[in-house]
Amino acid sequence: MRNTIILAVLLFLGVIAASIYYFSGLNREQHNTLKPLKYLPENTFLIASIKNDEVTDNIFKDFDLFDALLGKKDISLLKRYKNQLLRHDALYDYIAEQDVFLSFHPDKDSLNLLITIPTSENISESQLTSLINQFAKHYKIGSVDTLGNKITTLSFGNPDTTLYTTYYQHVLFASSSLQTIVSTLNKSIPKLSEKQIDYFIHNNSKNTPFSVYFPHQNFQALVKHFQQKEKGFFLDQFLGLEGQSTWNINFKQDALMLTGESQLQQTQGNYIALFRYQSKRTQRLYNFFPSNTAVFMEYSLSSYPKFASDLKEYFEARQETKKVASLLENLDKENSSLHKLIATWQHNFAVVEMTNQSQLAFVALNDTTAWKDVASSLLEDAGDNIYRFKTSNILYSIYGEPFKNMSRPYVTRVQDVLVISNILADLRYYRNSYDRKDLLTGTLGFKNFEKLQGNEANVTLFIHNKNAYSKILYSLPAKYQKKFRDDENYGFKDFYSWSLQLSGNNGAFGSQLYALYKSKNALGGTPEWSYPLANKAITAPYVFEHSDSTQFILIQELDHTLHAIHPSGTKMWSTVISGRIVGEIKQLEDRSIIFVTDKNRLYRLDTDGKNKKGFSRGLSDTPVAAPLAATAAGKEALLVPTKNKILAIDLDGNMIEEWKNITADGTLLGEVQQIGKEFVIASSYGRIYFINQDGSLRKEIDIPGDVEFRFPLGVVDKGNNSYELLAYATNHTLYRIAEDKVVDQHTFDSKANRHHVDFINIAGSSAPEMILIHDNRLQFVDIAKKDTLYEYHFTKNIDDKPQYFRDGRTSNSLIGVASKATNLIYLFSGDNTLVEGFPVEGLPLFYYGKINYNSEIFLLCTRRDKKLYAFKHQK
């Protein structure tokens, strides 16, 4: 990317928003006069109008996004002016019920803010003098005479910080720049036209706290002010787009969102203007962009014939008509397939610039079979499923500017999308990235961006702040470079992306601007506390009762240390145990903690980390799952499933001699489950064992055929001491077992190499749902209807099994899925939607819920820095 003009515009908008925050609440009611705008110079970059009411007073509270854009020093200065000047009783009576306007004006290497406020009644010279004198307590008062007007200076500090103010034609003007005030008063300097002001009035929404106005005639001056180089691939597409835009704000804690209209006047020779008569369409190519995307523009057409007609006029304006016409003529003569070629394309195309400044282009196919037929005459084989266009400038002739720099590019196909590049090696690298699913859509930031911005438009420009950071930085003049990389005063590094969307609207555009920010208030942004571990965690965090007044958190790390952590994040105790915990950690009614390890040991600890009498104790075989606390052979027991036996141990750590220890065929799967007065468990050989209270075998079911199980059974309580069992086999078949026999079976269409299955009661009904993960797809299945209720596709395969949490706000279960490949945590609600705030950066094995009896809801997770983080989730 060779330019950052959209970024610059967004920065201005953010600064305006920050300024409005500190000047909002000045007026009690909205007053619609926009008379003050007629005094603003024609070269004004941007204007904002505040909608002042009590709601506006609080909307911007604690929006750290504004601090990041404007800088802590300027924020502090604006606070001072607001509290000591504009909130002063002496002035407030004159500006009550009036709008406040903020505008930006260029001045050599700076951008100056002008505050404009009309007064409700005229302030006489004597009243003005008296009013100004009331500020003398905090400021040194002075004056400057220019153009027959008196400009008052209010200064403080060492060295002086000065605010220049004047009162002219019932309007108060204030700025830290004397030149800006003088330009406003100077009648010989051209002002904004009445037509532009009328447009602002017409589109100034009464339903949002503020609106922003951008006069397009200053676009090139804006470029020159903020760019060391004035031209670039993306920037060139916007040059000459005369008119004006007005945007109104929508609010989100971690984003700046502006929505409005862009009116066009002069469009000749401008590429973006070709889309003004198109209707917005779904854009999907971003799903194919590589993870190292720095900037992209995606385009979509609703009517190619209309676009082709407008493109012809565009070429005429650029004096390229003969060249393009000749090329298309020759192409049609050679292949007799120009119309066939265009028919194979979906007219959704894009250009991507990556971090290494290389570019890829993408074109969506409408018919892959027809494309193969047409492509055979257009392309020559370059090996590795990569081809090259035989004829130059085909893409440029059909779609224009995005393909101007791709004369005879190489092309490959993934699914129904053509990927195009001037460099053969770039396509080979891309194919490898695509096969690894190393894509932009797999990153946390882009997933948050997708939730913020819709995918229906005609033109979308997206700038990835981190991937484009060096390009942005070195395209700015030195002064702005310093601000952009100043982490102490600014927060530009905390922005994820900047974007612009345009949708055709009968000769104009509906337009949206977005700046996505990593807010400290967003889930996963700022932790309530963190707890350092020496190694990575190997269990999820568990929350248990510690006493009648306090709960505590348990987690094991790689060196087998078990940590007990107070809900405030402080250490309570830690102890090294023998081996890695297998399965879940559980708590008994007496608050003792039980678990087994892969070193063949069973533990029972008190809440202070001390072993209960008789524990820990060895096991005769390696356990495969957590113990079940139950009554066995008339005693309180812990039933521990090992490879092919179930061990029964009492609460004093002794083997229960009366327990009849059967031997299973294959490996036992999961925990022992109790149904009524008996126990049930499955083995990998496709067998299901029904076991009596004394451990003897009541019934064994062998599923017919060569069937293997990998996952624990599901249980359906049908009432009246009647139960149904659910078993999922490696042949992707679900078996329903009732009355000791298979009553139904259903095979799912799946070719996945890896999968995981659980039977969980999600919605609180009598029957559980089946949670199925196969490769990168999550499915919620209604077992009775054999229907998929909901499915979610991850960008990479899921290796870890799901986790389940109770929803503290409803009776439903929440399903947690962690993607190790993308370092993201997902949480799905009982109504099959992604919980607000997710996904969040984090490693597999996490906890979601209360961490103390009366606490808020928290996410507990670890990250690659080996710390356990506690993030409060305020929805």
Side-chain angles (χ1 to χ4, degrees):
M1 184 183 64
R2 300 177 182 84
N3 64 83
T4 56
I5 183 59
I6 299 304
L7 169 62
V9 172
L10 286 167
L11 293 185
F12 298 157
L13 299 175
V15 173
I16 288 172
S19 304
I20 289 172
Y21 164 49
Y22 289 108
F23 286 102
S24 67
L26 301 176
N27 305 318
R28 295 190 183 98
E29 296 179 2
Q30 169 69 12
H31 187 62
N32 287 324
T33 177
L34 294 177
K35 178 182 67 174
L37 298 184
K38 70 179 183 180
Y39 300 110
L40 299 185
E42 187 182 40
N43 69 349
T44 301
F45 279 170
L46 288 169
I47 309 165
S49 170
I50 306 170
K51 305 299 182 187
N52 292 297
D53 51 34
E54 291 180 0
V55 174
T56 306
D57 228 6
N58 294 313
I59 279 180
F60 295 95
K61 185 180 180 182
D62 298 327
F63 267 52
D64 50 323
L65 180 152
F66 296 157
D67 291 7
L69 283 167
L70 194 59
K72 295 175 183 176
K73 292 179 182 178
D74 285 345
I75 287 289
S76 178
L77 186 61
L78 285 171
K79 282 182 179 180
R80 180 186 179 104
Y81 291 151
K82 174 183 178 179
N83 295 329
Q84 294 181 355
L85 300 177
L86 298 181
R87 284 289 178 90
H88 197 288
D89 289 342
L91 177 61
Y92 186 76
D93 287 341
Y94 291 101
I95 63 172
E97 303 181 5
Q98 302 300 308
D99 280 347
V100 175
F101 300 95
L102 300 132
S103 54
F104 279 83
H105 307 265
D107 183 12
K108 296 182 180 178
D109 61 348
S110 66
L111 194 68
N112 301 323
L113 173 66
L114 175 67
I115 303 164
T116 304
I117 312 172
T119 60
S120 57
E121 59 183 82
N122 183 48
I123 305 175
S124 67
E125 188 173 343
S126 61
Q127 289 173 318
L128 187 61
T129 301
S130 175
L131 188 155
I132 291 172
N133 287 337
Q134 295 193 48
F135 299 138
K137 180 179 177 181
H138 299 289
Y139 297 90
K140 182 170 61 178
I141 310 298
S143 64
V144 177
D145 289 321
T146 183
L147 300 174
N149 293 97
K150 181 179 178 180
I151 298 174
T152 300
T153 61
L154 296 96
S155 305
F156 72 96
N158 185 20
D160 281 350
T161 298
T162 301
L163 181 70
Y164 298 91
T165 67
T166 191
Y167 184 59
Y168 178 74
Q169 297 293 319
H170 296 199
V171 180
L172 286 169
F173 297 98
S175 177
S176 59
S177 165
L178 176 61
Q179 179 59 41
T180 299
I181 296 289
V182 172
S183 297
T184 304
L185 299 176
N186 193 340
K187 296 179 181 178
S188 65
I189 293 178
K191 310 298 181 183
L192 292 174
S193 70
E194 287 187 13
K195 184 177 181 180
Q196 290 179 311
I197 294 172
D198 287 343
Y199 181 78
F200 188 18
I201 293 172
H202 180 73
N203 291 279
N204 191 12
S205 174
K206 298 179 181 180
N207 298 319
T208 56
F210 74 89
S211 298
V212 178
Y213 175 69
F214 173 47
H216 295 179
Q217 73 261 19
N218 298 322
F219 183 83
Q220 196 150 359
L222 193 65
V223 174
K224 187 174 182 180
H225 185 86
F226 275 89
Q227 297 290 128
Q228 293 195 56
K229 294 182 180 179
E230 295 181 32
K231 284 190 173 289
F233 174 77
F234 299 98
L235 173 62
D236 286 351
Q237 297 178 48
F238 292 92
L239 293 176
L241 195 64
E242 296 295 328
Q244 46 268 326
S245 297
T246 299
W247 300 294
N248 299 304
I249 195 168
N250 294 316
F251 283 96
K252 199 174 187 304
Q253 189 73 31
D254 53 357
L256 178 66
M257 301 185 292
L258 295 150
T259 303
E261 297 289 331
S262 295
Q263 183 188 63
L264 306 182
Q265 293 171 352
Q266 173 58 253
T267 60
Q268 188 178 26
N270 177 265
Y271 182 73
I272 296 299
L274 301 182
F275 296 84
R276 69 194 187 277
Y277 287 106
Q278 299 293 319
S279 299
K280 63 183 179 181
R281 286 292 180 266
T282 299
Q283 297 184 324
R284 63 181 182 91
L285 289 175
Y286 64 85
N287 291 291
F288 294 84
F289 298 164
S291 63
N292 65 337
T293 295
V295 59
F296 72 72
M297 285 189 76
E298 184 167 356
Y299 315 81
S300 56
L301 303 172
S302 59
S303 170
Y304 181 76
K306 173 59 178 171
F307 177 82
S309 174
D310 292 341
L311 183 63
K312 182 179 179 182
E313 293 181 8
Y314 171 78
F315 285 140
E316 288 174 357
R318 295 173 67 94
Q319 299 182 345
E320 294 183 355
T321 306
K322 290 183 178 179
K323 178 177 118 179
V324 171
S326 174
L327 186 149
L328 294 177
E329 235 176 76
N330 292 335
L331 178 66
D332 214 21
K333 285 179 181 177
E334 290 175 12
N335 305 286
S336 299
S337 59
L338 177 59
H339 297 295
K340 291 181 181 179
L341 170 63
I342 294 173
T344 66
W345 289 346
Q346 204 173 71
H347 305 310
N348 180 196
F349 51 100
V351 177
V352 171
E353 184 171 294
M354 297 171 289
T355 52
N356 63 359
Q357 300 181 50
S358 292
Q359 289 187 350
L360 294 174
F362 295 78
V363 176
L365 291 174
N366 186 48
D367 187 334
T368 55
T369 302
W371 160 253
K372 290 178 184 178
D373 294 338
V374 176
S376 61
S377 61
L378 292 175
L379 307 176
E380 57 189 25
D381 196 342
D384 295 333
N385 291 316
I386 297 174
Y387 302 85
R388 192 178 190 186
F389 281 96
K390 295 178 181 178
T391 306
S392 299
N393 295 314
I394 291 177
L395 293 166
Y396 179 64
S397 301
I398 295 172
Y399 286 138
E401 201 67 22
F403 298 96
K404 185 176 183 178
N405 298 324
M406 293 185 173
S407 177
R408 278 192 62 219
Y410 296 92
V411 59
T412 191
R413 182 170 67 87
V414 291
Q415 294 187 37
D416 59 347
V417 172
L418 301 181
V419 188
I420 303 155
S421 175
N422 286 329
I423 303 172
L424 182 64
D426 282 355
L427 284 187
R428 288 175 176 156
Y429 182 83
Y430 172 80
R431 288 192 69 95
N432 289 333
S433 296
Y434 182 81
D435 291 341
R436 298 194 312 270
K437 297 181 180 176
D438 186 16
L439 302 175
L440 183 64
T441 51
T443 61
L444 172 61
F446 198 83
K447 289 187 177 298
N448 289 331
F449 170 78
E450 282 186 283
K451 290 187 288 186
L452 174 73
Q453 179 173 299
N455 65 348
E456 288 195 343
N458 294 117
V459 180
T460 297
L461 170 63
F462 171 88
I463 302 169
H464 190 294
N465 195 48
K466 183 178 179 180
N467 288 352
Y469 187 83
S470 61
K471 296 297 294 181
I472 294 172
L473 179 65
Y474 295 114
S475 69
L476 297 170
K479 179 178 179 178
Y480 293 114
Q481 282 188 27
K482 185 177 180 180
K483 290 183 177 181
F484 194 70
R485 61 188 173 194
D486 180 359
D487 295 337
E488 294 297 322
N489 192 35
Y490 297 91
F492 292 112
K493 283 189 176 179
D494 290 325
F495 282 90
Y496 169 72
S497 63
W498 317 87
S499 59
L500 165 70
Q501 273 193 333
L502 300 175
S503 301
N505 183 18
N506 195 31
F509 281 120
S511 54
Q512 293 85 37
L513 289 157
Y514 301 88
L516 184 60
Y517 179 67
K518 183 181 178 181
S519 171
K520 67 182 180 183
N521 298 311
L523 181 62
T526 303
E528 293 294 308
W529 52 260
S530 64
Y531 183 90
L533 301 172
N535 304 277
K536 74 174 184 177
I538 56 174
T539 69
Y542 291 84
V543 175
F544 296 121
E545 295 182 3
H546 185 267
S547 66
D548 289 340
S549 59
T550 308
Q551 293 184 271
F552 72 136
I553 301 158
L554 287 181
I555 189 170
Q556 187 187 29
E557 62 173 306
L558 189 60
D559 69 354
H560 300 162
T561 301
L562 182 66
H563 296 268
I565 305 166
H566 190 273
S568 64
T570 59
K571 178 178 178 178
M572 297 178 68
W573 52 263
S574 64
T575 184
V576 177
I577 62 177
S578 177
R580 185 187 192 115
I581 294 174
V582 176
E584 302 293 316
I585 304 175
K586 295 183 176 181
Q587 187 170 41
L588 302 181
E589 288 186 5
D590 67 354
R591 293 187 177 134
S592 61
I593 305 297
I594 60 170
F595 54 84
V596 291
T597 73
D598 61 359
K599 295 297 183 182
N600 299 9
R601 298 205 70 80
L602 169 64
Y603 281 83
R604 184 177 173 222
L605 305 176
D606 64 22
T607 55
D608 293 324
K610 306 299 183 183
N611 280 308
K612 301 286 280 187
K613 184 180 177 180
F615 295 88
S616 68
R617 64 148 295 143
L619 302 172
S620 59
D621 202 352
T622 302
V624 297
L628 170 70
T631 299
K635 297 181 180 180
E636 289 185 278
L638 302 176
L639 301 184
V640 181
T642 64
K643 183 177 180 181
N644 59 2
K645 295 179 184 297
I646 298 173
L647 307 180
I649 301 164
D650 67 24
L651 296 187
D652 292 322
N654 301 311
M655 298 294 296
I656 298 177
E657 295 181 0
E658 296 86 353
W659 179 261
K660 308 239 179 346
N661 212 331
I662 67 167
T663 300
D665 294 323
T667 301
L668 295 177
L669 300 171
E671 298 178 22
V672 179
Q673 298 193 61
Q674 188 163 8
I675 55 172
K677 294 182 179 180
E678 64 182 358
F679 307 106
V680 65
I681 196 168
S683 79
S684 59
Y685 281 11
R687 313 254 171 100
I688 299 174
Y689 300 92
F690 295 84
I691 301 167
N692 294 314
Q693 278 272 310
D694 64 356
S696 60
L697 182 65
R698 184 184 73 80
K699 176 78 175 180
E700 176 183 344
I701 294 180
D702 186 3
I703 302 298
D706 187 15
V707 173
E708 293 184 14
F709 294 155
R710 289 185 189 171
F711 311 107
L713 297 170
V715 177
V716 181
D717 187 347
K718 300 175 73 71
N720 298 320
N721 204 31
S722 175
Y723 297 89
E724 185 174 276
L725 301 180
L726 304 169
Y728 190 86
T730 55
N731 60 3
H732 306 297
T733 299
L734 173 65
Y735 296 90
R736 291 173 53 194
I737 300 104
E739 301 299 331
D740 301 347
K741 62 182 179 181
V742 176
V743 296
D744 188 32
Q745 65 186 65
H746 175 75
T747 300
F748 289 83
D749 182 17
S750 176
K751 299 179 181 178
N753 295 318
R754 67 192 87 190
H755 55 281
H756 185 88
V757 174
D758 283 320
F759 301 99
I760 300 293
N761 195 320
I762 300 298
S765 60
S766 60
E769 288 80 26
M770 183 170 74
I771 309 303
L772 173 62
I773 292 182
H774 39 137
D775 286 346
N776 69 327
R777 183 167 62 154
L778 168 68
Q779 282 183 280
F780 297 67
V781 179
D782 184 314
I783 295 171
K785 297 179 180 178
K786 305 180 183 67
D787 286 339
T788 297
L789 301 173
Y790 173 75
E791 67 178 29
Y792 187 91
H793 292 262
F794 302 94
T795 54
K796 295 199 175 182
N797 292 336
I798 302 298
D799 295 321
D800 290 80
K801 66 179 184 179
Q803 296 176 247
Y804 303 94
F805 310 98
R806 297 310 299 176
D807 188 342
R809 300 173 179 87
T810 69
S811 61
N812 295 339
S813 288
L814 301 171
I815 303 96
V817 179
S819 173
K820 188 181 298 179
T822 59
N823 193 33
L824 296 178
I825 292 171
Y826 298 78
L827 191 68
F828 298 89
S829 65
D831 60 359
N832 306 324
T833 57
L834 196 60
V835 173
E836 182 182 349
F838 287 86
V840 174
E841 178 190 349
L843 296 173
L845 303 176
F846 61 98
Y847 169 85
Y848 183 81
K850 293 184 177 182
I851 60 175
N852 211 348
Y853 290 117
N854 296 311
S855 78
E856 301 287 338
I857 301 296
F858 278 82
L859 169 68
L860 300 180
C861 67
T862 59
R863 290 177 172 175
R864 288 171 178 162
D865 58 3
K866 301 173 186 175
K867 290 181 180 180
L868 175 66
Y869 288 93
F871 297 106
K872 186 185 295 185
H873 193 189
Q874 298 174 330
K875 294 198 291 182

